[in-house]
Amino acid sequence: AESVYSMNGDIAPLAELSDIAKRHGAMTYLDEVHAVGMYGPQGAGIAAREGIADDFTVIMGTLAKGFGTTGGYIAGPAEVIEAVRMFSRSFIFTTALPPALAAGATAAVRHLRSSEAEREQLWSNAQLMHRLLNERGIPFISDQTHIVSVLV
C-alpha cells in the first residue's frame, strides 16, 4: 500500500489493510515515500501517526522529498531485506550513497525527528492552497494531505 497516494493525495485505509492481512496471514508492504518526514510522530509516516507501524512487514521510504536529499530505504525482517538485495537487479548494479549525501540525509532525519515547525508549515501551506482553490471554485481531488491535485 502507498500510505499517501502520490497522484491525488488520498490516504490509504492502513488499519483496514493491516486487519485483512492479519486475517489471511499475509505479509504487508507499505510505501511511505510521500509521508516520511512530513507526517506522524517525529516524521515517521502515516502508519506511525495511526499507531500501527509495527503491523507492516516491510516499510519503504525515501530520503528525497521530505528529507530533501536522495536515496531511499527499505526496512523489515532480515530475510526479506536479504532477498531484496539478492534479487533486485537494479540494486546489485548500483553503488552506495556518497558520504556527503549520507551525512546530509542523516542530518535531515535527525532534524525532522526533533522539529515540528516544518510539518506545521507544510500543513499550513496546504490548507491555504485548499482554501484559495475552494474560494475560486477550482476543483481539486483531496484535502487530506499536502498533495494538491487540481482537475483541469
Side-chain angles (χ1 to χ4, degrees):
E2 189 174 0
S3 63
V4 175
Y5 185 54
S6 63
M7 297 305 289
N8 63 17
D10 287 344
I11 295 177
L14 298 182
E16 291 87 346
L17 293 170
S18 172
D19 289 343
I20 291 168
K22 284 178 189 173
R23 280 198 309 268
H24 296 281
M27 288 180 56
T28 52
Y29 181 91
L30 177 60
D31 177 349
E32 289 270 33
V33 166
H34 294 94
V36 292
M38 295 177 266
Y39 296 92
Q42 301 180 2
I46 299 293
R49 180 183 81 178
E50 295 181 12
I52 57 172
D54 290 341
D55 290 357
F56 293 89
T57 311
V58 177
I59 297 178
M60 178 186 104
T62 184
L63 299 171
K65 300 177 187 1
F67 295 121
T69 60
T70 189
Y73 63 88
I74 181 171
E79 300 82 14
V80 174
I81 303 307
E82 188 61 24
V84 170
R85 280 195 191 115
M86 298 303 292
F87 296 106
S88 295
R89 190 174 58 102
S90 61
F91 179 80
I92 292 170
F93 296 107
T94 62
T95 58
L97 288 177
L101 283 175
T106 300
V109 169
R110 285 183 177 144
H111 174 74
L112 288 175
R113 287 187 71 192
S114 64
S115 175
E116 289 295 321
E118 293 79 6
R119 284 184 282 282
E120 290 169 3
Q121 185 63 55
L122 174 69
W123 188 241
S124 176
N125 289 346
Q127 288 178 315
L128 173 62
M129 178 62 79
H130 298 146
R131 184 178 56 79
L132 292 172
L133 290 169
N134 277 328
E135 286 174 1
R136 286 155 180 79
I138 300 172
F140 59 95
I141 296 176
S142 174
D143 63 1
Q144 293 181 329
T145 66
H146 67 287
I147 297 173
V148 182
S149 295
V150 176
L151 299 173
V152 178

